[in-house]
Amino acid sequence: PAPVLYTATCQALSFCGAVLIWLLAPEWIYKRAPLNSTASFLKVMLIPVGFVLNYGMNNLSLKYTTVTLNQLIRSFSPVVVATTSYFIEGKTQSWAILITLCLLVVGVVMGVGTSPDFEVVGTLICSGSLIGNAISIVMTAFVMGDAKVKLQPIDVMLYTTIPSVVILLPWSLSLGEMETLRWSATLNGTFWTTVWILIGGFLACTYTFIYVLLIKLTSSVYFSVTGGFRTIAAITVSFFIFKQQVSVQSLAGMGIAMSAFIANSYFTLKEKVEAMDKRSQLEVKKPLLGEKQA
């Protein structure tokens, strides 16, 4: 396998998809937002740095720890994202959400600290990936809501995918993944290797657009919480596929963490629905033709 090269290829193809939309879409659908200052450029460049940091350290951690522990540590993501969002975006959370985040912390600490598979190096590396994940998600939300930058999802794809490729390609070359690509082309044929790469690129482009759009429509914290359902599924499936040990305390911690995820998702979604209802009521109260002129 050549995961780094494949990710770089998917990012490059995502850029191509964004360029096609930019060139072909009429302005009333999409108009590119330029980066007119160094500050705006630096804000956007934090997104690919966070993306690569998240991806690289997460994959590296799997060499030292189990899939279950990896996913359980990554379930800590909403806490890291909420903290990062507070310092960067100035966003605060309700008491209900804060309580569920605290319970999540308790569950993760119990699940990781009492696990028979606990390993310090893998845990620290995986924890480092959470920082990259938080930077990438929060900065994506920030640049699409900031008054000075105000980017659209396609803008984010245009500006962040190529920097990710620039960072990933040297890493891929150092791992000797070009030889793996040549071996795959020899084994499966150049045509089918290219076809599978293009399919992966299309799926990556679609996924990137959807997740950036979801961050724009909701929030960085809510997006990180939605990943909890994927985490729960990954933890459950890993027990059936891989031979992994688990203690009673670790199992109890996983149960607390999963319950906190579900409760957090409920309260977050409830707040979003209430906010949408309030906006709808305000729109209804407005005069049909605008404010009456004196």
Side-chain angles (χ1 to χ4, degrees):
V4 179
L5 179 60
Y6 192 71
T7 302
T9 304
C10 288
Q11 289 288 292
L13 292 173
S14 295
F15 173 76
C16 294
V19 169
L20 284 176
I21 295 175
W22 173 33
L23 295 176
L24 300 178
E27 287 192 2
W28 60 272
I29 292 180
Y30 168 70
K31 182 178 181 181
R32 185 178 66 86
L35 299 177
N36 295 321
S37 67
T38 303
S40 299
F41 174 78
L42 292 176
K43 290 176 184 177
V44 172
M45 287 303 102
L46 284 174
I47 298 174
V49 171
F51 170 81
V52 174
L53 183 65
N54 171 38
Y55 171 82
M57 297 191 76
N58 180 58
N59 283 351
L60 183 60
S61 71
L62 290 173
K63 296 178 66 174
Y64 301 96
T65 188
T66 62
V67 174
T68 298
L69 267 183
N70 172 277
Q71 290 299 308
L72 188 58
I73 295 168
R74 290 189 67 79
S75 70
F76 202 68
S77 176
V79 179
V80 182
V81 171
T83 304
T84 307
S85 178
Y86 172 76
F87 286 108
I88 294 179
E89 298 180 279
K91 288 188 175 180
T92 56
Q93 308 299 322
S94 67
W95 280 108
I97 291 180
L98 286 175
I99 291 172
T100 59
L101 290 178
C102 289
L103 288 173
L104 178 62
V105 173
V106 173
V108 171
V109 171
M110 283 182 60
V112 174
T114 61
S115 172
D117 295 320
F118 175 74
E119 206 281 330
V120 176
V121 175
T123 300
L124 290 176
I125 294 174
C126 188
S127 299
S129 74
L130 292 178
I131 299 175
N133 180 59
I135 292 173
S136 179
I137 292 176
V138 172
M139 289 309 301
T140 298
F142 184 71
V143 298
M144 289 192 294
D146 185 41
K148 295 182 179 179
V149 183
K150 204 73 173 182
L151 301 182
Q152 298 298 321
I154 299 300
D155 295 319
V156 175
M157 293 172 66
L158 280 173
Y159 295 137
T160 63
T161 47
I162 292 301
S164 295
V165 173
V166 171
I167 299 173
L168 288 168
L169 276 182
W171 182 12
S172 173
L173 293 173
S174 69
L175 295 174
E177 290 187 339
M178 289 302 296
E179 290 300 322
T180 304
L181 179 62
R182 293 192 188 96
W183 175 83
S184 178
T186 302
L187 182 66
N188 302 311
T190 303
F191 174 77
W192 284 112
T193 300
T194 304
V195 167
W196 286 116
I197 289 175
L198 291 176
I199 291 174
F202 173 77
L203 294 175
C205 183
T206 305
Y207 171 79
T208 302
F209 176 77
I210 291 174
Y211 98 75
V212 174
L213 182 62
L214 182 60
I215 293 174
K216 179 178 176 63
L217 295 176
T218 56
S219 70
S220 56
V221 177
Y222 181 74
F223 177 78
S224 67
V225 170
T226 59
F229 296 104
R230 181 183 59 192
T231 300
I232 293 171
I235 290 174
T236 304
V237 171
S238 67
F239 277 112
F240 292 98
I241 298 179
F242 305 104
K243 294 181 179 179
Q244 298 178 161
Q245 298 176 315
V246 61
S247 66
V248 176
Q249 294 90 340
S250 180
L251 196 61
M254 291 169 59
I256 293 173
M258 291 179 183
S259 299
F261 255 127
I262 295 172
N264 191 296
S265 300
Y266 168 76
F267 287 121
T268 304
L269 183 60
K270 181 181 178 182
E271 290 181 4
K272 286 292 177 184
V273 172
E274 290 175 352
M276 291 174 63
D277 288 341
K278 287 181 180 179
R279 284 197 297 267
S280 299
Q281 291 174 6
L282 289 175
E283 290 294 328
V284 170
K285 291 179 181 180
K286 288 182 180 180
L288 182 61
L289 298 178
E291 298 293 339
K292 186 177 180 180
Q293 300 293 325

